[in-house]
Amino acid sequence: MAEKDIVFITGANTGIGFEVVKALLQSPKAYHVLLGSRSLEKGKEAISQLAEVLEGSSNTVELVEIDVTVDETINKAAELVETKFGRLDALINNAGAAFDKLFTSDATDFRTLFNKSYDVNVSGAQVTTAAFAPLLIKSKNARLLFLTSGTANLTGHEQALIPSRAASVPKGWPKEGLIGGQAYKACKTALNMVMITWHWFLKDDGVKVWSISPGMLATNLTGNPELLRKAGAGEPSLGGDLIKRVLEGERDADVARVVTQNGAVQPW
């Protein structure tokens, strides 16, 4: 595999992660893609869906079991990559989950909601990156990506809380009908700090680091992609294409920033 870039993508059996796999397999650049999946069964299903793409590609894909909330699977995945390839050219921390519902139902157990959300979205990415960092350092052109969100925008949320825009928040307690998404937003904001710290940790080792904010896309994150489409969400393939372009150097001028579609950078 020395002639191909080795790319590991967590949570790659569905959504944006799956679209990254497709985009890389169709790229003229040479890749061997490690499709990380928490479930081997779902990972196999994902690879079967790539049959048509693989027929016309010289690039390759391999299924790797990884659950970012279980250290044993993370370490086994890193050991596999070290044994087979001796390096990793790109790690895409894509695995994530949203557990928020209505504020009234979330408020009954905020601690569990936040801890569960952080375990997947923040701790999972941190531990996975630490496990693969020695392999990234061995690459001649390593890239490390964290999938964040447009909701992880402190500036935007501060502006949205001025009185004229806060009229939709109901008065009194509990906040009936309010969808706050607090845990998910807090996790993705924290993930941007994780990204920055890894930038400084690995900068002198030649590893380029970004957060990726792909925009509102019709993934299964909320459990209803069709509802998201009706609300104006784009197709998940847009996220896959953005990540491919970052891997292939289009956003090298924006290292250590939150990059979005159309060459833009997301405010903190």
Side-chain angles (χ1 to χ4, degrees):
M1 297 297 176
E3 75 282 2
K4 293 182 178 180
D5 276 6
I6 311 301
V7 180
F8 195 106
I9 310 167
T10 64
N13 61 285
T14 188
I16 294 174
F18 182 71
E19 294 298 332
V20 179
V21 177
K22 287 173 62 178
L24 296 183
L25 291 177
Q26 296 175 87
S27 173
K29 187 173 179 179
Y31 291 106
H32 181 66
V33 182
L34 301 174
L35 187 156
S37 178
R38 183 177 58 176
S39 161
L40 285 177
E41 181 180 352
K42 291 182 179 179
K44 290 175 183 177
E45 291 175 4
I47 288 181
S48 69
Q49 295 172 26
L50 296 167
E52 187 174 340
V53 175
L54 286 166
E55 282 182 6
S57 175
S58 60
N59 292 336
T60 47
V61 63
E62 178 179 352
L63 174 61
V64 179
E65 182 179 17
I66 183 170
D67 181 338
V68 299
T69 67
V70 180
D71 290 0
E72 182 182 2
T73 71
I74 296 171
N75 293 333
K76 282 185 177 180
E79 290 168 6
L80 181 148
V81 175
E82 182 175 19
T83 300
K84 294 188 73 170
F85 311 109
R87 74 179 198 283
L88 184 64
D89 299 300
L91 172 63
I92 303 170
N93 285 297
N94 167 76
F99 303 104
D100 302 272
K101 298 176 183 176
L102 290 175
F103 184 87
T104 46
S105 58
D106 291 347
T108 58
D109 199 0
F110 269 139
R111 187 176 301 280
T112 298
L113 170 64
F114 270 67
N115 287 349
K116 188 176 180 180
S117 299
Y118 265 80
D119 195 20
V120 176
N121 296 291
V122 184
S123 302
Q126 172 73 4
V127 175
T128 300
T129 301
F132 283 98
L135 295 169
L136 288 169
I137 290 172
K138 292 180 180 179
S139 170
K140 295 179 180 179
N141 186 28
R143 289 161 188 269
L144 171 61
L145 281 62
F146 296 86
L147 197 72
T148 186
S149 167
T151 64
N153 182 336
L154 293 172
T155 302
H157 277 73
E158 185 274 334
Q159 293 172 350
L161 289 176
I162 62 175
S164 64
R165 298 183 185 180
S168 61
V169 178
K171 293 181 179 180
W173 194 267
K175 298 297 181 182
E176 297 288 349
L178 178 65
I179 302 176
Q182 286 179 299
Y184 185 74
K185 294 174 182 177
C187 286
K188 292 301 186 179
T189 305
L191 188 64
N192 288 339
M193 178 59 78
V194 169
M195 178 274 292
I196 293 172
T197 56
W198 278 110
H199 162 67
W200 288 111
F201 289 161
L202 300 177
K203 183 174 181 289
D204 291 341
D205 293 297
V207 181
K208 296 181 176 66
V209 186
W210 296 264
S211 281
I212 308 295
S213 181
M216 187 172 73
L217 304 179
T219 68
N220 200 41
L221 183 68
T222 63
N224 195 335
E226 290 306 317
L227 186 63
L228 289 171
R229 285 188 177 92
K230 291 178 181 178
E235 291 303 313
S237 58
L238 293 172
D241 181 65
L242 172 60
I243 290 172
K244 179 183 78 71
R245 287 186 278 119
V246 172
L247 289 180
E248 296 184 352
E250 187 174 301
R251 304 303 297 273
D252 280 8
D254 296 317
V255 165
R257 304 179 80 179
V258 182
V259 299
T260 66
Q261 301 285 356
N262 304 316
V265 172
Q266 182 170 297
W268 299 115

